[in-house]
């Protein structure tokens, strides 16, 4: 988009609240922001550049298009902004590091008899999610405790009132029931209301509201004793005892029974640590820390505000009081959004001391993280230099590309390309290939095809752009939607270069002489014979080079060998996961054809309209009925089938 078109957009911006999306020359979203007035806020980026921070100036120089969404209020804009940031992970926004990998506890409230398990995917399916948790080990211990004393089901059966689907109340329960780990709702041993009461108690525990939980359980125990149900009363007594034992270990931080969160931070360079203390009934029941990236020259208030929006945007329960170390930007809008919570920056007293303690913990965590990063970086740099010497490379292999093939007898054959920069995975550079020209199980020819296509793309990039940056990917290659690395910047835009524009310092092939020879043919045919290439064979972990007849064997404790193994194994994992995904997709799409009324044409129209099986699953019944050829009966059959089957990974 030309400068004149940008100016035309700026002239026509409405004086309304909303969200704006900045895009680069590839149409990718690089920044998402909200505004009380879109006209004033967006125009402010293009006035006097001297008043902008360095990061913002770099961002503005990369903007080639602007989109905006008008909302009815600033609070709606804030909610939409948070949703879009989590969806697109824009390069210039402050974001939680690896926020997609944090585990949650999921309670499937939409089911008649809910299940409880750990997940890393948060979807709008009527379930309740608790988290995120930064300590997965402690999370598993908590879940094991809950399942031991609150015996809810763990199976995936479709269980309705009175028994499992297709089974009567007299059906035999599984082993978990016999060892006291399940109340066997599949056999009709517990009513839906009694089971839900158990689930509600678990939710209170996960919210940290143990005092409220204990009051409820003591009343239930007293009622059971009054009815002379001493067995039930004894079970509740044991649960109360074990919860009280856990609470004894919790530190008392307030003499009043308050529920509050304490949020503080520490920062250095482009990295920040946000610390969250969870205080329930005056006791410190939880202590979490989160790493925030791309903080750069942002203010402390901006960082805290961004964290609050991302953290509480998916919280299942928010305490009535949140203590903050710094005043946050958009304070009024965030307060209205949270509605039930009050944001306070204490200046003195016990609450200020609690905030200071959280800040001290954040500083300790930050320094530990910086030391670990420095040690890991030093080790990775030494491994790169050691690898250069071990296999006689002309320069350190700063960029290593590894390739692997995955297929079952040639079916759904795919190839993977993974990239390591300075000894670390650069996931935004990963690429996936669907094999096109090879029929049958010929891994050697498939490897040659993948490399030939990758190198052809490199030549095309070189011909299209002198800077080799920001080029679109071909339609037959899949880029990876992942957080971008802070290495590999180009052109002053602060964004990664195209995955194919840069040539590697070393190509690594998963295999021995056979795979290597076909890869060398691809290099020579494309005119890139100068790129170093090696093969790593699994059986004896031997390194094969094109100009050597005998392989190189490095010591088992060699840092260079360990680096090659990491790169090779990552290429294998990436190829296998893509192959598995395609097979699962094929299997699910084939199974949809078994639904009465769904044929090949209707399935094609559904996939075209909603993009994927998951898109069909998330669609409302009315939306399904708008697809040409669909009617209510078939739409209901599709919705019921997909809701009864688990989501794809």
């Amino acid at each position: 988009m030309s400068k004149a078109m940008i100016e035309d957009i700026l002239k026509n911006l409405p004086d309304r609240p909303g969200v704006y999306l900045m895009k680069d020359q590839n149409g990718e979203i690089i920044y998402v922001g909200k505004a009380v007035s879109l006209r004033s806020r967006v125009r402010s980026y293009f006035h006097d550049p001297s008043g902008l921070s360095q990061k913002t100036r770099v961002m503005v120089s990369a903007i080639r298009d602007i989109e905006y969404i008008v909302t009815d209020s600033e609070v709606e804009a804030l909610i939409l902004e948070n949703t879009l940031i989590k969806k697109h992970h824009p390069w210039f926004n402050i974001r939680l590091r690896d926020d997609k990998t944090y585990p949650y506890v999921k309670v499937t409230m939409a089911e008649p008899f809910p299940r409880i398990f750990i997940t890393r995917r948060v979807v709008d399916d009527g379930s309740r999610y608790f988290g995120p948790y930064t300590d997965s080990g402690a999370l598993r211990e908590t879940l094991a405790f809950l399942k031991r004393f609150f015996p809810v089901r763990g199976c995936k059966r479709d269980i309705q009132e009175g028994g499992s689907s297709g089974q009567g109340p007299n059906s035999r329960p599984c082993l978990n029931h016999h060892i006291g780990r399940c109340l066997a709702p599949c056999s009709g041993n517990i009513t839906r209301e009694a089971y839900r009461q158990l689930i509600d108690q678990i939710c209170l525990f996960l919210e940290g509201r143990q005092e409220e939980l204990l009051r409820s359980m003591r009343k239930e125990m007293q009622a059971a004793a009054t009815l002379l149900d001493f067995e039930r009363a004894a079970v509740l007594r044991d649960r109360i005892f074990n919860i009280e034992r856990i609470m004894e270990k919790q530190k008392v931080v307030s003499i009043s029974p308050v529920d509050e969160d304490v949020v503080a931070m520490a920062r250095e360079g482009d990295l920040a640590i946000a610390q969250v203390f969870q205080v329930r009934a005056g006791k410190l029941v939880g202590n979490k820390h989160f790493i925030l990236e791309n903080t750069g020259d942002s203010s402390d208030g901006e960082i805290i505000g961004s964290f609050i929006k991302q953290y509480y945007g998916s919280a299942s329960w928010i305490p009535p009081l949140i203590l903050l170390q710094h005043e946050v930007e958009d304070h009024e809008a965030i307060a209205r959004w949270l509605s039930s919570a009050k944001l306070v920056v204490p200046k003195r007293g016990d609450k200020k001391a609690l905030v200071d303690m959280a800040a001290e913990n954040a500083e300790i965590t930050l320094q530990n993280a910086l030391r670990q990063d420095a040690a890991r970086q030093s080790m990775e740099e030494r491994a790169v230099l050691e690898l250069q010497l071990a296999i006689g490379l002309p320069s350190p292999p700063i960029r290593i590309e590894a390739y692997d093939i995955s297929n079952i007898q040639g079916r759904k054959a795919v190839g993977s390309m993974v990239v390591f920069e300075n000894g670390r995975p650069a996931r935004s550079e990963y690429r996936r290939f669907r094999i096109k020209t090879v029929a049958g199980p010929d891994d050697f020819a498939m490897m040659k095809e993948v490399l030939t296509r990758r190198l052809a793309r490199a030549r095309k990039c070189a011909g299209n752009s002198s800077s080799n940056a920001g080029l679109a990917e071909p339609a037959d290659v899949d880029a990876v939607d992942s957080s971008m690395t802070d290495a590999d910047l180009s052109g002053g835009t602060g964004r990664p270069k195209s995955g194919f524009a840069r040539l590697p310092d070393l190509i690594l092939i998963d295999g021995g002489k056979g795979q290597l020879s076909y890869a060398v043919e691809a290099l020579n045919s494309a005119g890139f014979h100068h790129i170093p290439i090696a093969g790593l064979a699994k059986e004896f972990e031997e390194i094969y080079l094109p100009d050597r007849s005998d392989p190189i064997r490095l010591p088992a404790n060699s840092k260079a060998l360990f680096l090659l193994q990491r790169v090779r194994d990552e290429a294998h994992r990436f190829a296998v996961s893509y192959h598995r995904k395609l097979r699962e997709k094929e299997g699910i799409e084939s199974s949809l054809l078994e639904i009465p009324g769904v044929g090949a044409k209707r399935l094609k129209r559904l996939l075209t309209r909603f993009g994927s099986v998951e898109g069909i699953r998330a669609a409302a019944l009315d939306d399904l009925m708008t697809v040409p050829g669909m009617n209510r009966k078939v739409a209901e059959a599709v919705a019921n089938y997909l809701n009864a089957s688990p989501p794809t990974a």
Side-chain angles (χ1 to χ4, degrees), residues 332-348:
E332 293 183 0
I334 293 175
R336 290 198 301 272
W337 169 51
L338 296 176
S339 66
S340 60
K342 184 179 180 182
L343 304 179
V344 175
V345 181
K347 302 299 182 182
R348 64 182 67 85

Side-chain angles (χ1 to χ4, degrees), residues 145 150 200-202 204-205 208-222 236-248 250 281 283:
F145 167 82
F150 296 87
D200 291 340
Q201 291 175 347
I202 291 175
L204 284 175
F205 184 93
R209 297 157 67 187
Q210 286 95 339
E211 290 286 358
E212 187 176 339
L213 170 60
L214 288 176
R215 286 195 297 271
S216 171
M217 291 176 67
R218 288 187 183 113
K219 288 181 181 179
E220 188 181 351
M221 181 179 66
Q222 186 62 44
L236 290 166
R237 178 202 61 200
D238 293 341
R239 288 180 191 168
I240 292 170
F241 172 73
N242 283 283
I243 292 173
E244 287 175 337
R245 285 183 60 189
I246 290 177
M247 294 177 64
E248 287 174 358
Q250 297 168 351
K283 293 183 178 180

Side-chain angles (χ1 to χ4, degrees), residues 346-608:
K347 302 299 182 182
R348 64 182 67 85
D350 294 340
K351 295 190 182 302
K352 176 64 165 61
L354 195 55
V355 170
D356 291 343
M357 184 170 69
E360 184 180 358
N361 277 264
E363 182 63 34
I364 293 172
T365 304
L366 174 64
Q367 295 306 319
N368 288 337
L370 292 173
R371 281 194 295 270
Q372 291 172 3
D373 280 351
R376 183 168 58 249
Q377 183 177 356
S378 176
M379 182 180 69
E380 289 161 349
E381 290 175 352
R382 289 199 302 270
V384 169
L385 295 175
E386 184 180 313
L387 178 59
Q388 177 191 2
L389 298 175
I391 61 178
L393 297 176
S395 61
I398 302 301
R399 180 184 173 97
I400 302 174
E401 291 182 5
Y403 296 83
D404 195 15
I405 301 296
S406 181
N407 67 97
I408 297 178
Q409 294 299 311
R411 179 170 162 268
K412 293 290 179 185
V414 299
S416 69
M417 163 185 153
V418 304
V419 179
F420 273 55
E421 297 272 6
N422 292 308
R424 294 186 179 188
R427 291 185 175 86
S428 63
E429 301 284 284
Y430 288 13
R431 296 295 182 268
R432 305 177 295 201
F433 302 79
R434 298 194 193 194
I435 302 301
K436 291 185 168 186
T437 63
V438 181
D442 189 345
D443 287 12
F444 293 179
M446 292 177 188
M447 180 65 73
K448 183 177 180 180
E449 178 191 328
V450 168
L451 271 174
T452 299
R453 285 163 56 187
R454 183 265 181 269
L455 295 170
R457 185 60 185 172
R459 188 170 294 284
K460 184 178 179 181
C461 289
N464 288 346
S465 172
S466 59
S467 67
N468 293 345
L471 298 170
E473 305 297 351
D476 59 348
V477 177
D478 296 324
V480 180
D481 183 12
S482 177
S483 57
M484 300 175 181
T485 56
D486 52 6
D488 187 26
L489 303 181
S490 102
T493 65
R495 300 194 61 250
K497 295 182 179 180
S498 165
F500 292 118
R502 290 187 58 194
L503 292 175
D505 300 306
L506 173 67
I507 291 176
L508 181 66
I509 303 300
D510 182 9
K513 286 185 176 181
Q515 288 92 335
L516 184 62
S517 63
Y518 274 71
V520 169
E521 286 182 20
L523 284 176
N524 293 336
S525 298
F528 289 101
H529 56 275
H530 61 283
I531 299 178
I533 187 170
L536 182 61
K538 282 192 179 72
E539 186 175 2
F540 299 109
E541 302 292 12
E542 296 172 329
I543 304 170
Y544 289 88
L545 301 176
D547 54 352
R548 286 182 61 127
S549 58
D550 56 324
I552 298 174
R553 288 192 178 185
L554 297 179
N557 61 352
S558 166
K559 295 182 179 64
L561 177 62
F562 179 65
L563 173 59
L564 289 179
Q565 289 170 332
R566 279 187 65 204
V567 179
R568 187 267 317 276
D569 293 346
E570 177 70 350
H572 179 72
R573 179 202 64 80
F574 195 49
V576 169
S577 64
Y578 186 39
H579 182 235
R580 185 183 299 117
K581 179 180 178 181
L582 293 181
R583 286 190 286 112
E584 288 175 351
K585 179 181 177 183
E586 181 187 47
I588 293 174
E589 290 178 3
S590 299
S591 66
L592 289 177
L593 295 174
E594 299 174 4
I595 302 174
V598 177
K601 287 186 177 179
R602 274 180 173 164
L603 177 57
K604 183 177 180 180
R605 288 168 179 167
L606 286 168
L607 291 171
T608 301

